[in-house]
Amino acid sequence: MDTPAKPPRNGTSVLLGLLALIPATVLLFTGYLVPSVRTLLASFTDASLLDKPSESVGGDNYSALFDDFAESLVGPLLLAVALTFTALIGGLLLAWLAALAGRRGRWALRAAFALPMAAVGATMAAVAWLLSFESPRDLNPFLGQYGAFGALAVGLGATAFLLVLRRSPRLGDAWPGLLLVGGIITATSLAYALQSFTFPYLLRGPDGPRFGSPAMLIFDVAFRFADLGVASAGAVLLLAVLAVLGVGVAGWLIAARARVVEAAAEPAPDQPAGTSPWTAVSLVVTAVAALIALGSLVPWLTHSVSFSALPRESGVLPHLVSTWIPPLLSTLLGVTAAVLGGYGIGALRPLGRRSELLLLPFAPWLFTGLPALIPDAFRHRMEDGSEFLFLVPPASLSIPVLFGSALLFRGVRLTRALPVAGLAGLMVWVVAAQDTLWPLIAGMRPDSAPMQVVVLQTVTEFGYRGLEGGGGVTGWLYPLPLLLVIAAAIAAVQILSLDRLALRTGRDDPDDAPAAAPFPAVPAQATDPYPTAPAQPAVPTMEHGSPKDGTA
């Protein structure tokens, strides 16, 4: 039997592949590895915000913090379970029905959840939900967080499961990919919940737990109690949990030989012709789910149209610049390095079939965000001198984009992969620009503080009285026109690019063309919405045990 042709690999491709990884490796070293080591060393000292030399205290910091750290896990674990089940059940059901319905069902689902997926601004969501209640004690922070982002979880879950079901809607055939996606969703939900900060910070009431999440615990100990040594111990414990999740997911991806390929290069899924019962069922269920998702955005949309003048002489422009430009600089650097590294691993294949092993050095920090890095980042960046550069978030490398790019470039040509990479960069920018944690630490100048700081200060000053008080400035935080533009971009990339891709696991086959080489001609199928080549001679296939002509 002839073996599938391997992508050409020579000394040049090996060298270029390793060179493409250099920027990501440098950012990994400076933004994650070195800070993690310094955090570990600081956790055994009595370092503080006070200007005094630190001394070794052994393991006392861990003993003092362990009970509070364990208590701070309760709420995030419940939130992670809720988000996981929502994404798994809701996302899988909608994706399966859409896959059975064919192109109409898939496109309707992708468009229906574009708006909830654009609403990823944690600060805007938390402030909107806060202003919808008489008092912050009336809303549990994790219940509010689930209400704000449950629809987002469904949209992300449906997008991931559609990648698996794009080849075939039969669940029995796709179970390895579905299981892999389910594991990634579970790990992502847990990592997100453990590092949630904005909702616990805004919505924790006097009767609630002292520390709503590990992220809140680290922040409070570091900046309320000025104890960077104990805060570093909490950061180390959080880093350990996140490292286990990252290494586990990376190992699963490598063992499963996961990769993204063009759907047109595979046998077209069996799709009912014309309007079928599955199409009608999928459209109805998607419409109902979209209405529920829109209902969860009512607090957001209500407060996104409030553009009162800021009570500051500097006006709104300096605050908008501080909100969006520093995260843009970080995103451009980190996402560019991640995409370049992913191209080196996925397309240039410097280690051949073992190239994905190059992801392992990045794996421990796959799910690591700012909460685990802020004690060290504050200590080593507060003396940089430039207040504007201080606003640029630390740890710019987007490791999830690096992993996704490596899977994407493994089987997708560059021109088709770039829109997906661009959308990933856009979402990284929005998430960073809507973060609350770093602006609270770095945005200290009243005349140019990020909008997160301005809105939180205004809302607090007016005593949570909704639109009659602090709510009048919330529209500047994440303006509605910008939300609609980002939602349109998500829908366009989903329909025009992601819908043409599929997630594959297992051994390579002849249909998996290398990303760096032209794709072979594929027989045009009557049911394939994206024929990429003229019809070829008929190829016998089997459907439900009977021969069927494979051409139009």
Side-chain angles (χ1 to χ4, degrees):
M1 178 183 296
D2 294 334
T3 58
K6 298 180 180 179
R9 186 167 65 95
N10 50 41
T12 302
S13 65
V14 172
L15 178 61
L16 291 177
L18 296 178
L19 288 176
L21 270 172
I22 290 179
T25 303
V26 171
L27 292 180
L28 173 71
F29 184 82
T30 58
Y32 291 93
L33 178 59
V34 171
S36 298
V37 173
R38 290 192 304 223
T39 300
L40 177 62
L41 296 177
S43 69
F44 295 104
T45 70
D46 61 350
S48 72
L49 293 179
L50 304 178
D51 188 14
K52 67 180 185 69
S54 58
E55 299 179 358
S56 175
V57 295
D60 292 349
N61 291 337
Y62 291 93
S63 301
L65 187 80
F66 189 80
D67 290 342
D68 288 333
F69 186 85
E71 180 185 352
S72 71
L73 297 176
V74 177
L77 288 176
L78 295 176
L79 174 63
V81 170
L83 290 176
T84 298
F85 275 95
T86 300
L88 293 181
I89 298 175
L92 180 57
L93 175 62
L94 291 173
W96 178 61
L97 292 175
L100 289 173
R103 181 173 60 180
R104 295 178 183 177
R106 296 197 310 271
W107 284 20
L109 176 58
R110 294 183 185 279
F113 280 86
L115 188 61
M117 292 176 67
V120 294
T123 307
M124 181 65 192
V127 169
W129 278 76
L130 173 66
L131 295 176
S132 299
F133 289 80
E134 293 291 334
S135 169
R137 73 179 64 185
D138 295 334
L139 180 64
N140 180 276
F142 297 103
L143 183 60
Q145 201 164 359
Y146 175 76
F149 295 126
L152 171 64
V154 173
L156 293 175
T159 298
F161 285 123
L162 275 177
L163 283 174
V164 179
L165 299 174
R166 181 63 179 88
R167 184 188 184 194
S168 171
R170 298 187 181 93
L171 299 180
D173 297 337
W175 71 265
L178 296 177
L179 192 61
L180 173 62
V181 168
I184 295 174
I185 289 175
T186 302
T188 303
S189 299
L190 180 57
Y192 165 76
L194 291 175
Q195 299 176 91
S196 61
F197 173 79
T198 306
F199 273 83
Y201 178 80
L202 277 178
L203 300 179
R204 62 174 179 179
D207 299 328
R210 289 189 299 160
F211 307 111
S213 68
M216 271 297 306
L217 172 64
I218 295 170
F219 177 84
D220 280 350
V221 172
F223 300 105
R224 289 180 59 194
F225 306 140
D227 196 336
L228 291 179
V230 177
S232 296
V236 169
L237 295 176
L238 180 57
L239 281 170
V241 176
L242 298 175
V244 171
L245 294 176
V247 172
V249 168
W252 196 348
L253 286 171
I254 295 172
R257 297 184 181 180
R259 61 205 179 275
V260 178
V261 300
E262 297 200 35
E266 302 181 12
D270 301 321
Q271 299 175 6
T275 47
S276 69
W278 284 119
T279 301
V281 171
S282 175
L283 293 178
V284 170
V285 174
T286 298
V288 172
L291 289 176
I292 297 175
L294 186 62
S296 69
L297 293 179
V298 168
W300 179 310
L301 298 176
T302 301
H303 294 92
S304 64
V305 293
S306 300
F307 295 98
S308 300
L310 296 180
R312 300 171 186 267
E313 297 179 358
S314 58
V316 70
L317 183 58
H319 301 289
L320 292 178
V321 170
S322 297
T323 301
W324 294 97
I325 301 304
L328 177 61
L329 299 178
S330 176
T331 300
L332 288 176
L333 176 63
V335 171
T336 301
V339 172
L340 186 61
Y343 184 81
I345 295 174
L348 299 177
R349 315 294 292 160
L351 301 184
R353 293 186 181 275
R354 296 181 177 86
S355 295
E356 279 72 21
L357 293 177
L358 293 172
L359 293 172
L360 287 179
F362 301 86
W365 296 275
L366 174 59
F367 295 110
T368 299
L370 286 179
L373 303 173
I374 54 169
D376 178 80
F378 184 80
R379 289 183 66 190
H380 292 87
R381 294 190 60 182
M382 63 183 299
E383 299 178 356
D384 288 347
S386 172
E387 296 179 0
F388 180 80
L389 293 180
F390 191 31
L391 289 171
V392 177
S396 59
L397 178 64
S398 180
I399 299 179
V401 174
L402 172 66
F403 274 66
S405 298
L407 301 184
L408 185 64
F409 289 118
R410 175 67 180 89
V412 179
R413 67 188 72 175
L414 180 62
T415 54
R416 186 160 291 178
L418 282 180
V420 180
L423 178 62
L426 176 63
M427 300 311 296
V428 170
W429 178 35
V430 172
V431 171
Q434 293 298 303
D435 177 54
T436 306
L437 180 56
W438 189 249
L440 282 177
I441 298 172
M444 296 176 287
R445 292 191 58 180
D447 58 342
S448 62
M451 285 303 306
Q452 298 96 313
V453 178
V454 175
V455 170
L456 293 183
Q457 290 176 346
T458 307
V459 168
T460 304
E461 178 183 352
F462 283 89
Y464 307 101
R465 291 203 303 270
L467 290 173
E468 297 178 358
V473 300
T474 54
W476 297 111
L477 189 56
Y478 193 161
L480 181 60
L482 180 61
L483 175 67
L484 297 178
V485 169
I486 293 176
I490 292 174
V493 175
Q494 284 259 19
I495 292 173
L496 299 179
S497 296
L498 277 172
D499 199 57
R500 305 187 181 197
L501 306 179
L503 179 67
R504 292 288 305 275
T505 57
R507 296 193 309 171
D508 296 349
D509 58 43
D511 290 330
D512 291 337
F519 279 83
V522 180
Q525 305 288 342
T527 55
D528 188 0
Y530 304 108
T532 59
Q536 302 293 320
V539 179
T541 62
M542 297 294 293
E543 181 181 11
H544 302 298
S546 61
K548 177 184 175 183
D549 187 4
T551 61

